[in-house]
């Protein structure tokens, strides 16, 4: 139909979603071969759901969610995997001479014509979210082939040490591991867990801070899979009684992936966790970390100071490293000498001297930090203050004219002061050296594609009233294919920044109780974790449940 051969940009302008100016500006700035819809979504002018709804309404093409769609597996073989991956489409059913295909871009008529010629069917289009299609590819095209191949070949196997299938690129076990990692990267997972149980091996992904079971593998695949991961990470495959740590660097679908590997002996075999280090998302600009305006000004003024200690606190997986690296990025100029001591060095930063802790040869945080101070540094970053010795050297470094950035495991900013004195650092040294403390947590963001405004509950109104705020409406996600029906997509940080001034120094030196420090911080305008979280709920970025999951409502 000629009338349907309109361009996506023109349809969006006609529907009033974007202006002609925005369309022209995006056409100029988009990457070569990038589709206009993708460029507009990337720039935040519209969501994928809005794009789908407009195309559905304007073109009369149905929108389907593939999340629980019963795809006929026999239909999958009609369209080659490479073609489906390249053009973000998946066949869903055949009805007489018609092939029904879910497409991310149903306006790509060249692809539709190619499909008609190659399959011999009339093509009926449906619209689906891109991530929905990627998940369907993972489910139907890849993993099941490798699992079934592996099960067929497994009885013929030799011992693990001699089995050449562990290293051959086309062997089923290699494909299985590569695809498991690739799918985790595509779904923006932060960790992959291989959990051995009595009768099966469970593969789970941590997505947006929450673990989700991806699939269950037969128990007899466990040893081969463990051996393959150990070979990739250069670990000892014959040692299964002790924990081991390693690192993997791989290229998957032209995408470089860096993984940290940890193995742990459990009663049903070795549990393996792979931490995915996504360089692109970590080297954030400070502007992208979710600081509110007041906290942003406080943090930037803290890191501009010539000396003192700035500590970032929070549990594992609360984004401390991202904030540290973003701060170092801001400070990294040719006029300053920045040296770090880390365990492990997660991301290589150009222009910064990074030291990897190696306890086997005696290079600890404390000994590394001592050596750094002889290297004429301006700024020192210590990956973590774990013991009294490291804490004391960091304090003395800050008192001799260095800016020291580090992390500590505490629940809030004020608890950090008590933690340092508990570690044996004298209160007068803590008072003299500490410039500020940033407590941080990550909360899930409401999915933009299925968000809806609803009335706040009475309990929510009470929580807000207790913190001196009012709320009438809140934003929640009802669940869609883009967010795997969770209502959340992506994460944002909430912060609490304690700036140590003269009065707080006096309180620390006089060993005043924590409660007194908290009262003063409150009067002085400190925004506590719970308050920053609730402010983000008011903006429609997250939900009250998410904030209460990570911050206490005192």
């Amino acid at each position: 139909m000629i009338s349907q051969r309109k361009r996506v940009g023109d349809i969006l302008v006609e529907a009033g979603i974007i202006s002609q100016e925005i369309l022209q500006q995006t056409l100029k700035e988009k990457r070569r071969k990038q589709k206009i819809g993708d460029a507009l979504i990337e720039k935040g002018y519209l969501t994928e759901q809005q794009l789908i709804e407009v195309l559905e309404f304007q073109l009369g093409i149905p929108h389907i969610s593939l999340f629980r769609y019963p795809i006929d597996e026999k239909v999958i073989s009609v369209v080659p995997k490479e073609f489906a991956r390249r053009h973000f489409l998946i066949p869903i059913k055949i009805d007489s001479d018609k092939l029904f295909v879910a497409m991310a871009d149903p306006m790509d008529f060249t692809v539709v014509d190619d499909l008609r010629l190659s399959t011999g069917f009339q093509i009926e289009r449906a619209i689906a979210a891109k991530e929905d299609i990627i998940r369907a590819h993972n489910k139907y095209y890849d993993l099941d082939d490798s699992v079934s191949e592996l099960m067929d070949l497994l009885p013929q196997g030799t011992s693990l040490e001699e089995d050449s299938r562990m290293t051959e690129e086309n062997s089923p076990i290699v494909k299985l591991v590569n695809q498991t990692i690739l799918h985790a990267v595509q779904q923006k997972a932060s960790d992959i867990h291989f959990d051995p149980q009595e009768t099966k091996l469970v593969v789970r992904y941590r997505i947006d801070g929450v673990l989700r079971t991806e699939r269950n593998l037969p128990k007899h695949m466990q040893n081969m899979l463990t051996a393959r991961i150990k070979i990739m990470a250069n670990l000892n495959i014959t040692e299964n009684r002790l924990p081991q740590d390693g690192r993997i660097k791989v290229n998957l679908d032209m995408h470089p992936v860096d993984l940290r590997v940890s193995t742990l002996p459990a009663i049903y075999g070795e549990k393996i966790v792979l931490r995915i280090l996504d360089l692109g998302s970590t080297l954030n600009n400070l502007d992208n970390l979710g600081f509110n305006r007041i906290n942003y000004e406080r943090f930037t003024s803290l890191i501009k100071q010539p000396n003192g200690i700035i500590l970032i606190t929070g549990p594992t997986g609360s984004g401390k490293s991202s904030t540290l690296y973003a701060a170092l990025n801001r400070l990294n100029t040719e006029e300053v000498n920045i040296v770090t001591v880390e365990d492990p060095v997660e991301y290589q930063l150009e222009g910064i001297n990074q030291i990897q802790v190696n306890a086997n040869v005696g290079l600890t945080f404390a000994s590394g930090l001592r050596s750094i101070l002889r290297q004429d540094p301006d700024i020192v970053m210590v990956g973590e203050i774990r013991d009294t010795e490291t804490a004391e050297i960091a304090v003395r470094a800050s008192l001799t004219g260095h800016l020291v950035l580090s992390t500590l495991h505490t629940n809030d900013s004020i608890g950090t002061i008590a933690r340092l004195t508990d570690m044996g650092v004298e209160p007068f040294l803590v008072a003299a050296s500490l410039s500020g403390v940033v407590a941080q947590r990550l909360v899930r963001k409401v999915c933009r594609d299925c968000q809806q405004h609803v009335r706040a509950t009475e309990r929510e109104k009470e929580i807000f009233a207790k913190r001196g705020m009012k709320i009438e409406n809140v934003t929640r996600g009802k669940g869609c294919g883009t967010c795997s029906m969770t209502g959340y997509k992506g994460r944002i940080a909430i912060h609490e920044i304690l700036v140590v001034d003269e009065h707080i120094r006096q309180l620390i030196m006089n060993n005043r109780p924590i409660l007194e420090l908290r009262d003063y911080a409150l009067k002085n305008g400190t925004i506590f974790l719970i308050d920053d979280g609730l402010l983000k709920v008011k903006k429609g970025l997250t939900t009250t449940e998410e904030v209460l999951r990570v911050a206490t409502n005192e």
Side-chain angles (χ1 to χ4, degrees), residues 156-298:
Q156 306 158 17
T158 55
S159 71
L160 290 180
E161 293 81 353
E162 298 162 16
D163 199 336
S164 64
R165 287 173 295 166
M166 291 296 154
T167 51
E168 285 173 5
E169 276 308 306
N170 290 323
S171 74
I173 188 68
V174 171
K175 278 160 64 178
L176 178 66
V177 172
N178 287 353
Q179 282 158 9
T180 304
I181 296 169
L182 180 62
H183 299 166
V185 171
Q186 286 171 339
Q187 293 184 51
K188 296 184 171 55
S190 59
D191 302 84
I192 308 169
H193 289 240
F194 295 93
D195 291 334
Q197 296 183 6
E198 190 172 6
T199 58
K200 60 190 176 187
L201 178 69
V202 180
V203 181
R204 296 191 291 170
Y205 292 165
R206 187 178 292 281
I207 299 170
D208 293 338
V210 178
L211 275 171
R212 193 180 301 160
T213 299
E214 180 67 13
R215 62 168 40 242
N216 296 321
L217 294 173
K219 182 70 176 174
H220 60 260
M221 288 188 187
Q222 183 179 313
N223 287 346
M224 289 185 81
L225 197 132
T226 303
R228 172 59 192 162
I229 293 170
K230 284 185 173 182
I231 287 168
M232 291 172 79
N234 288 322
L235 301 178
N236 181 356
I237 66 168
T238 59
E239 178 57 79
N240 53 21
R241 298 160 301 169
L242 293 171
Q244 296 186 68
D245 291 306
R247 199 164 183 144
I248 298 174
K249 284 191 176 186
V250 284
N251 256 316
L252 298 171
D253 267 15
M254 310 299 289
H255 184 84
V257 180
D258 205 354
L259 303 151
R260 243 175 42 212
V261 183
S262 170
T263 73
L264 188 71
I267 54 171
Y268 295 123
E270 287 176 278
K271 175 176 167 64
I272 298 177
V273 177
L274 308 183
R275 163 65 60 90
I276 300 168
L277 304 175
D278 187 348
L279 192 59
S281 68
T282 299
L283 291 182
N284 269 321
N285 192 314
L286 271 182
D287 305 340
N288 301 337
L289 291 182
F291 282 109
N292 68 43
R293 187 178 52 78
I294 295 167
N295 280 343
Y296 179 79
E297 286 167 8
R298 286 176 182 168

Side-chain angles (χ1 to χ4, degrees), residues 52 122 129 131 139 142 146 172 262 274 296 430 493 529 537:
I52 287 170
Q122 288 301 314
E131 295 204 10
K139 185 175 178 184
D142 289 334
S146 285
S262 170
L274 308 183
Y296 179 79
V430 174
L529 277 171
V537 173

Side-chain angles (χ1 to χ4, degrees), residues 55 80 151 304 339 393 397 515 548:
L55 293 177
M151 289 177 77
K304 282 177 186 167
V339 190
I393 301 165
L515 203 58
L548 294 179

Side-chain angles (χ1 to χ4, degrees), residues 268-528:
Y268 295 123
E270 287 176 278
K271 175 176 167 64
I272 298 177
V273 177
L274 308 183
R275 163 65 60 90
I276 300 168
L277 304 175
D278 187 348
L279 192 59
S281 68
T282 299
L283 291 182
N284 269 321
N285 192 314
L286 271 182
D287 305 340
N288 301 337
L289 291 182
F291 282 109
N292 68 43
R293 187 178 52 78
I294 295 167
N295 280 343
Y296 179 79
E297 286 167 8
R298 286 176 182 168
F299 187 65
T300 48
S301 66
L302 278 176
I303 63 173
K304 282 177 186 167
Q305 294 184 13
N307 53 41
I309 295 182
I310 299 163
L311 292 174
I312 299 174
T313 75
T316 305
S318 60
K320 298 189 298 294
S321 297
S322 297
T323 306
L324 266 184
Y325 282 119
L328 288 179
N329 259 2
R330 175 67 63 90
L331 298 167
N332 187 12
T333 62
E334 62 175 36
E335 290 88 35
V336 293
N337 176 22
I338 302 177
V339 190
T340 75
V341 54
E342 305 169 60
D343 181 25
V345 173
E346 289 188 9
Y347 304 98
Q348 282 88 42
L349 302 174
E350 198 173 334
I352 292 178
N353 309 287
Q354 294 170 278
I355 298 168
Q356 167 81 49
V357 165
N358 185 350
N360 295 334
V361 295
L363 179 55
T364 60
F365 276 119
S367 62
L369 190 47
R370 267 200 206 90
S371 304
I372 284 174
L373 297 178
R374 301 188 201 110
Q375 290 277 318
D376 183 33
D378 298 292
I379 298 163
V380 177
M381 192 269 266
V382 184
E384 189 184 336
I385 292 178
R386 291 179 183 169
D387 52 41
T388 308
E389 191 181 7
T390 310
E392 284 179 346
I393 301 165
V395 164
R396 294 186 194 284
S398 72
L399 293 173
T400 52
H402 303 93
L403 179 65
V404 180
L405 301 171
S406 190
T407 67
L408 197 64
H409 287 271
T410 60
N411 288 331
D412 58 10
S413 57
I414 292 164
T416 304
I417 294 161
R419 177 89 178 92
L420 285 170
T421 51
D422 284 350
M423 287 174 95
V425 182
E426 293 292 340
F428 75 91
L429 286 175
V430 174
S433 61
L434 196 62
S435 297
V437 184
V438 181
Q440 179 170 311
R441 300 288 187 280
L442 292 177
V443 291
R444 291 183 292 170
K445 283 161 67 176
V446 175
C447 173
R448 283 180 65 195
D449 284 344
C450 61
Q451 65 181 23
Q452 53 185 6
H453 302 294
V454 295
R455 301 284 294 169
T457 63
E458 288 306 313
R459 175 76 182 120
E460 282 178 313
K461 287 179 182 174
E462 277 174 34
I463 291 163
F464 273 81
K466 195 175 174 187
R467 308 302 301 185
M469 294 183 235
K470 282 186 179 177
I471 189 84
E472 291 301 324
N473 294 314
V474 292
T475 306
R476 296 187 194 284
K478 63 183 178 192
C480 64
T482 308
C483 60
S484 302
M485 306 308 284
T486 60
Y488 297 102
K489 181 81 179 149
R491 286 190 291 176
I492 191 168
I494 60 173
H495 302 95
E496 171 180 310
I497 298 184
L498 177 72
V499 178
V500 179
D501 61 14
E502 281 310 313
H503 188 77
I504 290 179
R505 289 197 169 94
Q506 287 299 322
L507 293 175
I508 295 170
M509 282 200 279
N510 295 335
N511 265 332
R512 302 308 298 163
I514 289 292
L515 203 58
E516 203 172 318
L517 280 165
R518 182 178 292 281
D519 288 343
Y520 174 75
L522 187 61
K523 283 178 199 156
N524 207 31
T526 299
I527 300 169
F528 291 106

